[in-house]
């Protein structure tokens, strides 16, 4: 009996130590490194997953098929009118695909940069909480020494609580916006891997003159091309009616249609010219704001360095240093804002020019 008990205890201890070795001797699982997403990757993910772009792509494929069928069936009749209609259908589908694709890129760039700016604002708000807490501690000490009253203390407590609330809200807003952004990129269900956005450096300014922008817009504009093709269609209608000896009033209406099509073409040209001029001005202002924000950031950083030296020398307080750090972070946030405005104004100008936005241009 005693032998059986001893054997049982021995067996239990063996099993215990075996599993203890497994549990306590196992290497701890290292924490997973967050996956970093830069702006180019975000754009590529969105272009791969966007439903509107998939629809536009299929519409383009169908338009290409319809165009080939129309061209084949028109071999016998050689109708200029039918050829022009087929060309217009294909041009419309191509323009729709390009515009949809460009808009996907613009949306992703805007939301990505807004998230980067929101992250920087969180850092600013966090420093403000630290500053308000420091000031609260100072006022509490002053109240105890009789240099401040309870009203001063109450006011500072309110400022501190407001700062804490703003920080919590900023974090919640960021988390919600990031979730929505991941849904748009199609990465929301790809495991529990943490995602972080890369910091955006100041962009290299895209150089283009207003004259060049207008020239490219005139060459690429679908609306302008559509107006041009409408002139051709109306002229073909008029020629056919003249050959068929149509009634005088019908002929006059067709002649009016040709004049109207030419007027609409001229109007489209002027509107495009005006749109390019306005957007080019906006783009140049965005470049100027970018330069100014860089200068302001450099100034804030220099001022922060001076404050650090003064604090070390006993000439400034910890609160002064926190204020300088907040100013520096705010200047960084302002730079993020001007980077956002720069990209949006640039991409909008490219869209007006009828240019296909390439992912490689977004850095």
């Amino acid at each position: 009996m005693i032998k059986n008990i001893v054997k049982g205890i021995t067996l239990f201890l063996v099993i215990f130590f075996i599993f203890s070795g497994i549990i306590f001797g196992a290497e701890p699982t290292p924490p997973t490194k967050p996956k970093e997403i830069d702006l180019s990757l975000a754009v590529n993910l969105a272009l791969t997953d966007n439903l509107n772009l998939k629809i536009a792509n299929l519409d383009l494929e169908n338009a290409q098929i319809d165009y080939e069928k129309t061209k084949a069936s028109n071999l016998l009749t050689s109708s200029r009118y039918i050829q022009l209609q087929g060309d217009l259908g294909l041009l419309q589908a191509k323009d729709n695909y390009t515009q949809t694709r460009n808009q996907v890129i613009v949306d992703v760039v805007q939301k990505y940069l807004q998230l980067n700016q929101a992250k920087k604002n969180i850092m600013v708000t966090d420093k403000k909480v630290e500053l308000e807490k420091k000031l609260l501690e100072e006022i509490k000490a002053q109240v105890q020494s009789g240099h401040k009253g309870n009203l001063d203390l109450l006011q500072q407590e309110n400022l501190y609580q407001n700062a804490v609330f703003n920080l919590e809200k900023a974090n919640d807003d960021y988390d919600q916006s990031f979730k929505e952004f991941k849904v748009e990129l199609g990465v929301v269900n790809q495991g529990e891997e943490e995602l972080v956005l890369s910091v955006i450096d100041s962009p290299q300014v895209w150089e283009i003159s207003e004259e060049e922008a207008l020239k490219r817009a005139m060459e690429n504009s679908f609306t302008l091309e559509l107006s041009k093709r409408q002139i051709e269609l109306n002229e073909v209608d008029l020629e056919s009616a003249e050959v068929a000896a149509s009634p005088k009033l019908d002929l006059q209406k067709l002649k009016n249609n040709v004049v109207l099509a030419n007027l609409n073409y001229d109007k489209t040209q002027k509107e495009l010219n005006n749109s390019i001029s306005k957007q080019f001005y906006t783009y140049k202002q965005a470049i100027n704001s970018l330069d100014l924000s860089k200068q302001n950031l450099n100034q804030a950083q220099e001022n922060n360095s001076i404050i650090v030296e003064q604090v070390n020398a006993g000439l400034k307080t910890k609160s002064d240093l926190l204020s300088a750090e907040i100013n520096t972070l705010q200047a960084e946030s302002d730079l993020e804002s001007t980077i956002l405005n720069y990209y949006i104004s640039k991409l909008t100008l490219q869209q007006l020019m009828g240019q296909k936005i390439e992912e490689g241009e977004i850095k």
Side-chain angles (χ1 to χ4, degrees):
M1 179 70 178
I2 296 176
K3 289 182 178 179
N4 290 336
I5 294 175
V6 173
K7 288 181 179 179
I9 294 173
T10 303
L11 180 61
F12 170 79
L13 291 174
V14 170
I15 294 173
F16 174 80
F17 284 117
I18 290 174
F19 280 95
S20 296
I22 293 173
I23 294 172
F24 296 107
E27 289 291 330
T29 304
T32 57
K33 185 179 181 181
K35 180 180 180 181
E36 189 170 345
I37 296 182
D38 61 17
L39 188 52
S40 294
L41 178 57
V43 168
N44 284 324
L45 288 171
L47 290 176
T48 301
D49 194 65
N50 187 269
L51 294 178
N52 289 331
L53 189 58
K54 290 179 180 179
I55 292 170
N57 186 53
L58 287 174
D59 286 341
L60 177 57
E61 288 184 18
N62 286 339
Q64 185 69 49
I65 293 171
D66 290 339
Y67 175 77
E68 296 298 334
K69 288 170 64 178
T70 300
K71 188 167 68 171
S73 63
N74 193 39
L75 290 175
L76 295 176
T77 58
S78 298
S79 169
R80 175 62 178 161
Y81 192 88
I82 293 175
Q83 179 186 342
L84 286 171
Q85 284 185 318
D87 291 345
L88 284 176
L90 183 57
L91 283 172
Q92 177 71 69
K94 286 181 177 179
D95 181 71
N96 181 55
Y97 176 80
T98 300
Q99 293 300 325
T100 301
R101 183 181 181 280
N102 284 351
Q103 193 58 51
V104 169
I105 294 176
V106 171
D107 289 344
V108 170
V109 170
Q110 183 170 13
K111 291 174 182 177
Y112 187 103
L113 294 175
Q114 284 173 341
L115 281 169
N116 256 315
Q117 187 182 1
K119 195 69 175 178
K120 186 66 68 175
N121 285 336
I122 289 174
M123 296 172 65
V124 174
T125 310
D126 185 61
K127 277 292 178 182
K128 287 181 178 178
V129 170
E130 189 178 347
L131 174 60
E132 297 300 341
K133 184 178 180 180
K134 179 68 176 174
L135 293 174
L136 180 59
E137 292 171 352
E138 292 176 359
I139 289 180
K140 282 181 179 179
Q142 291 172 337
V143 169
Q144 290 178 355
S145 63
H147 293 91
K148 291 283 185 179
N150 288 327
L151 181 59
D152 296 313
L153 179 60
L154 180 60
Q155 290 175 339
Q156 185 55 42
E157 285 177 343
N158 287 336
L159 289 173
Y160 172 67
Q161 291 301 326
N162 286 336
V164 171
F165 172 80
N166 290 335
L167 178 59
E168 291 177 355
K169 186 177 184 303
N171 277 298
D172 290 342
D173 290 346
Y174 178 83
D175 290 341
Q176 181 59 34
S177 297
F178 202 2
K179 287 177 184 177
E180 295 172 5
F181 186 61
K182 289 199 293 184
V183 171
E184 187 168 340
L185 298 186
V187 297
V188 68
N189 294 320
Q190 295 185 9
E192 298 299 325
E193 187 176 25
E194 184 183 353
L195 302 177
V196 294
L197 303 182
S198 301
V199 176
I200 298 297
D201 295 326
S202 185
Q204 182 176 356
V205 173
W206 179 52
E207 298 290 346
I208 189 170
S209 65
E210 185 174 353
E211 293 73 18
E212 179 63 22
L214 181 59
K215 178 176 178 292
R216 293 191 196 178
M218 293 296 177
E219 293 172 349
N220 299 329
S221 172
F222 168 76
T223 306
L224 203 58
E225 183 63 25
L226 185 63
S227 297
K228 187 186 298 183
R229 297 300 178 99
Q230 192 60 54
I231 293 173
E232 291 186 64
L233 283 171
N234 290 351
E235 288 175 345
V236 170
D237 276 340
L238 178 59
E239 291 172 5
S240 299
E242 287 174 340
V243 171
S246 298
K248 183 177 179 180
L249 290 178
D250 290 345
L251 285 175
Q252 185 58 48
K253 183 177 180 179
L254 291 172
K255 289 177 182 178
N256 289 343
N257 287 342
V258 172
V259 175
L260 281 171
N262 279 282
L263 289 173
N264 284 328
Y265 180 82
D266 293 340
K267 180 184 176 184
T268 301
Q269 272 190 319
K270 290 180 180 178
E271 289 175 346
L272 181 59
N273 194 327
N274 188 46
S275 296
I276 290 293
S277 179
K278 286 182 177 180
Q279 188 55 41
F280 186 80
Y281 172 78
T282 301
Y283 177 62
K284 297 301 289 184
Q285 291 302 307
I287 295 174
N288 293 336
S289 296
L290 193 62
D291 293 337
L292 182 59
S293 292
K294 291 177 184 177
Q295 294 175 16
N296 291 338
L297 176 57
N298 289 335
Q299 182 63 46
Q301 289 172 335
E302 289 177 8
N303 182 64
N304 186 75
S305 298
I306 294 172
I307 296 295
V308 169
E309 293 178 359
Q310 291 177 328
V311 169
N312 292 335
L315 300 175
K316 293 289 184 177
T317 66
K318 175 65 174 177
S319 296
D320 294 323
L321 179 57
L322 284 172
S323 295
E325 290 173 350
I326 289 172
N327 290 336
T328 302
L329 288 171
Q330 188 60 59
E332 291 176 358
S333 178
D334 293 342
L335 178 58
E336 295 275 357
S337 179
T338 55
I339 289 174
L340 168 61
N341 291 335
Y342 166 81
Y343 271 114
I344 296 304
S345 60
K346 172 194 172 186
L347 296 176
T348 302
L349 179 60
Q350 289 178 316
Q351 283 182 296
L352 285 174
M353 290 165 53
Q355 182 174 328
K356 180 182 177 182
I357 301 171
E358 299 296 343
E359 302 92 301
E361 299 176 2
I362 312 298
K363 296 181 181 179

